[in-house]
Every structure is written in C-alpha cells, then in structure tokens.
Amino acid sequence: MADNVTSLFRSGAHSPSMAALARESGEAGPLDFCIPCNPYFPTPAMFDELSHRLRDIITFYPSSADTITGELCNLLQLPPQCVAMGNGSTELITWIDHLLVRESLAIPVPTFGRWTDQPMETGKRVDMFPLQESNGFALDPAQYIQFIRSRGSRVAVICNPNNPDGGFLPRQTINAFCDALADLDLIVIDESFLEFADAEAEPSVVEDAVMRPNVIVLRSLGKNFGLHGVRFGYLVANPSLAGRIRSMLPKWNLNSFAETVVFMLRDHGAEYMESLHQVRRDRLDMARQLSQLPGLTVYPSQGNFLFVRLPVGAEGTVVRDRLLTEHRILVRECGNKIGSSSRFLRLVVRPQVDVRRLVSGLESVLYGSRRGAAVPEPAGGNTYSSGTAAVDRLVSSTNGQGTQGLAAAAQARQPQELTAAQARQGQGQGMTAAQARGMTAPQSRGQGMTAAQARGMLPASAQGQQQAAGLAPAAYGQQQAAGLAPVAQDQQQAAGFASMNQGQQQAGLAPVAQGQPEQQPWLTPMSAQAQQQQAAGLTPVAQPGPQPMPQATGWPAAASGPGLSQGTAWPDAAAGNRAG
C-alpha cells in the first residue's frame, strides 16, 4: 500500500490530489503541508452554511460569469470592465498564452509550473532566468531586464511573491520594472499569494495595471479563501486586455460553489482579514521552529509557505516518502521544478500544533536516534536530473570547501597528472571518439580552453575555477545548483529549457526555437588544420561564440504620477489589504 501511494508522486510535474491519495491509501487524507491553502478560512460557520445549502448548490445552474464577476468587483471596488474571472488562475494563464503570447516568454525559475509548461505546450520559446541559490533565490530586477533584452523576449512574467521560494518585490520596484519594459507585448504580474504578504501596506499593482497598456495582474481566490477545489481566480488589466480574455471565456465557466462563496463574502470580510493576519503570525513561528533543525536552511518568504533546503546528504524524495508513509504528513518535494532540485521542500504555513508534528517527523526522518546524522542518499539510481547528488558529493568530499577545495587538491596532483599526460603523448595515444567530437577535454590539453569556454558559455569566474581544478565543463544542473554561473541561451536550449520542435531534435543539435533559424551543432566542427594541430598535441584555435551577459549597471528609477482613487477597501480601508 505504501508503495502504491508514493508511486503517485512519480507521474507528472505536480503533486497528486488529496482525493487520489485517499483512494490509493484507503484512509483519510494526510496532514497537508503541500497545498498552499488558507487553513483559517472559510470559518466553521461558513462551512455549516455551505453544507446546509449543498443540495441546491449542486442541483441548479449558477448565474452567468458576468453576474458573479460584478459581485466580486463590488467587494474589491474594481471596475467590472477591467476584470475577467476564470475557473482557477490556470484557465486564465491558458488564455493569456493563446491570445497574447506570440513567440516568447521570459520567467524566473523556479516558479509555478504552468508559466513554463503552458507556453512550451503551444510551441513558444520560454526564456528561463535562473534565480541563484547563493543569493537566496532573490530576483534582481535589473539583471532580469538585461536578460529579457539579451534574449529578445516579448512577454515577461513576475510572480510576486514567487512560488516556491516566497520571494517578494515592493510595489515601487514592480512599477519601475513595468516602466522599463513598456515596449514589450505583455507583462504579467502574478499576485496569487500577495494577500499573505505583510512587507508593505499596499503591495498590489492592480490599480496601476488598469492604466497601463501592456500589464495584466493575476489574482487567486482559492488560495486566499482556502478553497482550491472551488476553482476561481481573476485578472485585472485595462478594459481592452481584460475584454479580450473575457470574450473567450464560456458564459458559465464559474460553478455554483464559486457563486455561493463570492456572495457570502460580503458578510464575512472581518473573519477573512483575521485569517490573513493569523497566517502571517504562524509563518514567523514556523520559520523559527524549522530554523532550529541542524543543517536545515529556511528562506525568507512573503507567501503562505516556506522554502527550505535539506541538510547535506538528505534526498528530498526519500524524506517526502518517509514523512508520508511513517508520519502521515504530505510535503512538496521540489526536484521536478525547473530551477530547483530534490534538496528543497516547500512547506505550507499551518497552525502551531500541526507544525510541532511536522518538526517531530522531520527530526525522526532526518536524524533518527541521534541528531546530526542526515538521511543518506538512496543506493539505487536517482529519478531526477538536477545535479543535486553531484553537489552533495562535492561538498562532502571537500568538507564544505566546494570548488575551492577541489582546486587545491588539483594543484597538489598537478605534477603527477602532467607526467602521465606527457607519457601518453609520447606513446602516441589517440583520442577517444567523444574527445574527437569535442565533448570531453583530454587531460593532456588541460591548459587549453574547454569547448564551452571557447563558445563563451561560461563567465570568467566559473572558467577559472574549473580550469584550476583541471575539470571538464560542469553539467548544467551542477553549475546552477552550485551557483557557479548564470545560464546562457545555449545552455538553456541544451538542457531542454527552450521549447522544441520534434523534427529538430537531431543528434548534436541544440533545440531550435519556433520562428528561429536552424542552429549549428553545440561544437563547431574542426577544420582539417585544427585536426592536424590536435594530432600534433596543440590546442586548436577556438571559434568565436556567444558572449556572456553583461553585468547589471543599475536599476531604473520608478515613475511617478497619480494613481487611481483608492476608495474604501473591503471590509474597511483601515482593516488591511484588499480581499482579492
């Protein structure tokens, strides 16, 4: 039975539903630290009312989407012509992609999977900007803008707060970002988790978006209201953009549960605001408790979840499966999120009594009978390709010194390695087929440029570290997980990050983005002269390649100007953030 339950996590990019887990286990659902829901809303009284009205809710048709949207706009004090409601934010993301994304979309990773998967499914190029673990996964807007310009992306997305790490950008910074990219086809600010933020009093750019020609703000209702199963969300934009999306939605795309909840909110605004305050308090307490576990890193978050890095040697899928089967606790292991790895978990904020149970389960799984003995990696092959195991081995073998420790060890071995290389040259030892194709660098050429360096794919700092260690270019996952280098276009395409056409997946060719000319093989074929040089033991002259991205030079100043009248928020302007 346990194997059947854990197998549900090995099919697809998202966690299995609670219904699927209950069916497979034959038991009530586990304690849920996976689905980012508000645990304090709806209130018990609201659930009683929904139960009492259940027969009518599921028997009769709902009102039209226009009617339900109009009621929501009354609560949020937004003009209905600037709002489109969808059957969950995923429906809105789908229509944004179909109608407004023409060729390419830029998105920081890791992030919500539909922002990467949806455009790729429709043949668009997805330009993924890697958030660096060494920087706490914080997004640098200036560097992101330079990345967008260098790639020529036509649509840019920011999730604020970001999922899964909870990273947050202030309202002024978001507006400055939109000012700097006013010429793009579209900018999407996904504020699905913004209601849980407390970094500033009015963090949303909803009121700013309705005055901009190319900005859409996406908001969630299921996450805020603790009702993921109802499936409702909305977007805000200028009347033209909102109208294009709204015109494509079915007349009855919202169900009767969504209608009932929206019309109940007018009487429960105070309870809703209190639920948000309680989640924020619980977030602080939960971060404090988790931070006390040895080797566990907790990243700052403005969402209703925390992003944590497991101790060195702990494998996320093992931790997830043991928490579920031994302690009936469900967590989100992030090894299948692009830009993340199996060293990371996303843990939803829950009441203190539940957090104590989570901490106890983590102590048992991670440390066993003695604290400090982390879970070893499984003996069999790993099912992920994030480079996590390699990074763990690197840190362990160098006692935490990483590439610097390898470099020192390589310098100590250098005389012996050079002697061995010279001996092989004197014996006329030939190159392997892989070396002849330029895929690996023979040790006798350790002082020359690697193929990746010759194409300008690695910045100087990473090149220096690898050359000093006598290493061939690191795999993509190792570079990113170790924070060695930002990922250039060629690396993303080779890693499968850009969208691909099936007919273009030829041996040795990088994937070709839609609408782009066919690209050359990863390594430029060697001329006859280069082959003669290589046979003579000389380093062939490298062909020029793409240059590394320029460093950020600064951040554009935020634009100033009058905003919309703020009016009176629901339930009261002084009570806190708006309900949406």
Side-chain angles (χ1 to χ4, degrees):
M1 184 68 71
D3 290 340
N4 292 341
V5 172
T6 56
S7 67
L8 294 175
F9 292 90
R10 297 177 176 87
S11 59
H14 299 277
S15 298
S17 68
M18 194 64 69
L21 288 172
R23 285 194 299 268
E24 200 63 49
S25 66
E27 303 173 0
L31 180 59
D32 182 20
F33 281 90
C34 177
I35 308 301
C37 227
N38 184 345
Y40 299 108
F41 198 83
T43 64
M46 293 177 68
F47 274 119
D48 289 342
E49 182 177 350
L50 288 170
S51 299
H52 179 72
R53 300 170 59 181
L54 178 62
R55 186 182 183 90
D56 289 343
I57 290 173
I58 63 176
T59 299
F60 302 110
Y61 278 114
S63 301
S64 68
D66 289 342
T67 301
I68 303 172
T69 301
E71 175 64 13
L72 182 69
C73 289
N74 288 336
L75 292 174
L76 304 180
Q77 299 179 9
L78 291 171
Q81 64 269 27
C82 295
V83 177
M85 284 191 73
N87 188 8
S89 60
T90 300
E91 181 180 46
L92 299 174
I93 292 173
T94 301
W95 281 112
I96 288 172
D97 172 54
H98 281 292
L99 297 177
L100 304 175
V101 181
R102 294 186 299 171
E103 58 184 55
S104 56
L105 176 146
I107 179 75
V109 292
T111 193
F112 177 50
R114 292 312 300 167
W115 280 121
T116 56
D117 299 349
Q118 174 61 42
M120 285 195 288
E121 290 167 5
T122 54
K124 316 294 173 46
R125 190 184 81 237
V126 179
D127 300 328
M128 303 187 192
F129 178 74
L131 301 175
Q132 298 298 319
E133 179 185 348
S134 59
N135 196 35
F137 295 96
L139 174 63
D140 184 324
Q143 291 184 357
Y144 185 32
I145 289 174
Q146 289 190 343
F147 172 82
I148 292 167
R149 295 302 190 192
S150 69
R151 295 304 304 270
S153 311
R154 297 306 306 159
V155 175
V157 179
I158 287 182
C159 296
N160 194 41
N162 190 42
N163 170 17
D165 56 273
F168 171 81
L169 294 176
R171 178 177 181 177
Q172 182 179 11
T173 303
I174 294 292
N175 277 323
F177 178 85
C178 295
D179 291 340
L181 299 174
D183 60 310
L184 295 191
D185 295 342
L186 182 67
I187 300 171
V188 180
I189 309 300
D190 188 340
E191 296 183 349
S192 292
F193 295 98
L194 194 64
E195 291 289 272
F196 302 104
D198 57 4
E200 57 184 356
E202 291 289 341
S204 177
V205 295
V206 160
E207 292 179 347
D208 309 292
V210 299
M211 298 185 294
R212 293 183 179 272
N214 67 334
V215 176
I216 288 177
V217 175
L218 194 67
R219 304 298 298 267
S220 171
L221 294 174
K223 301 174 182 66
N224 306 339
F225 297 153
L227 294 169
H228 280 281
V230 172
R231 307 303 303 142
F232 53 173
Y234 67 99
L235 63 77
V236 181
N238 68 65
S240 176
L241 279 178
R244 288 187 65 182
I245 301 295
R246 195 168 53 245
S247 67
M248 301 302 296
L249 298 173
K251 188 175 182 63
W252 284 288
N253 69 317
L254 303 174
N255 59 57
S256 296
F257 273 108
E259 178 180 16
T260 302
V261 171
V262 167
F263 277 84
M264 288 174 64
L265 292 176
R266 67 178 70 172
D267 300 322
H268 298 278
E271 294 99 318
Y272 172 68
M273 297 306 300
E274 176 55 33
S275 74
L276 297 180
H277 293 316
Q278 186 59 54
V279 169
R280 295 165 187 159
R281 291 191 290 267
D282 287 346
R283 181 173 61 210
L284 291 174
D285 180 76
M286 181 173 171
R288 179 188 58 80
Q289 293 194 51
L290 290 173
S291 297
Q292 295 175 357
L293 295 176
L296 196 76
T297 301
V298 182
Y299 295 90
S301 172
Q302 283 288 291
N304 63 330
F305 47 81
L306 296 173
F307 196 50
V308 303
R309 184 183 65 200
L310 295 170
V312 171
E315 213 292 300
T317 57
V318 176
V319 174
R320 177 201 65 202
D321 292 351
R322 288 187 57 189
L323 282 173
L324 181 61
T325 57
E326 298 174 14
H327 301 274
R328 298 294 297 160
I329 295 173
L330 178 63
V331 300
R332 177 61 161 97
E333 177 267 325
C334 295
N336 60 358
K337 276 188 172 290
I338 298 175
S340 179
S341 75
S342 197
R343 278 281 303 281
F344 296 91
L345 304 178
R346 187 194 66 195
L347 303 172
V348 173
V349 173
R350 293 194 60 88
Q352 294 185 19
V353 61
D354 295 339
V355 173
R356 287 194 291 270
R357 180 173 161 188
L358 170 67
V359 170
S360 176
L362 284 171
E363 286 181 329
S364 173
V365 170
L366 290 175
Y367 314 112
S369 59
R370 61 184 185 89
R371 295 172 68 88
V375 174
E377 293 186 26
N382 292 324
T383 58
Y384 60 94
S385 58
S386 61
T388 301
V391 173
D392 286 349
R393 287 193 293 271
L394 170 65
V395 175
S396 298
S397 62
T398 60
N399 195 26
Q401 297 180 60
T403 54
Q404 295 179 355
L406 283 182
Q411 289 176 354
R413 296 194 308 267
Q414 192 172 22
Q416 294 88 342
E417 291 179 352
L418 288 176
T419 300
Q422 292 168 355
R424 284 194 298 273
Q425 280 188 343
Q427 296 169 1
Q429 180 174 329
M431 296 173 62
T432 65
Q435 291 168 350
R437 290 194 301 269
M439 296 173 62
T440 59
Q443 290 181 344
S444 61
R445 294 165 50 203
Q447 301 303 315
M449 296 177 66
T450 66
Q453 292 166 354
R455 290 174 54 83
M457 291 170 57
L458 300 182
S461 60
Q463 294 172 10
Q465 289 174 326
Q466 291 182 336
Q467 284 180 327
L471 299 175
Y476 165 79
Q478 292 168 292
Q479 292 176 1
Q480 186 180 10
L484 291 178
V487 181
Q489 178 178 1
D490 289 348
Q491 288 170 296
Q492 289 183 340
Q493 289 176 330
F497 276 12
S499 60
M500 295 182 295
N501 296 323
Q502 293 296 326
Q504 294 165 338
Q505 297 179 23
Q506 303 173 9
L509 291 179
V512 179
Q514 183 178 6
Q516 301 297 321
E518 183 171 298
Q519 302 193 10
Q520 297 300 316
W522 255 66
L523 300 178
T524 304
M526 288 187 292
S527 64
Q529 179 183 4
Q531 293 177 357
Q532 292 173 354
Q533 290 175 337
Q534 192 177 59
L538 301 176
T539 301
V541 178
Q543 300 296 322
Q547 298 302 309
M549 264 178 26
Q551 295 299 315
T553 57
W555 176 240
S560 60
L564 293 180
S565 173
Q566 295 186 3
T568 306
W570 170 73
D572 185 290
N577 296 337
R578 283 176 169 76

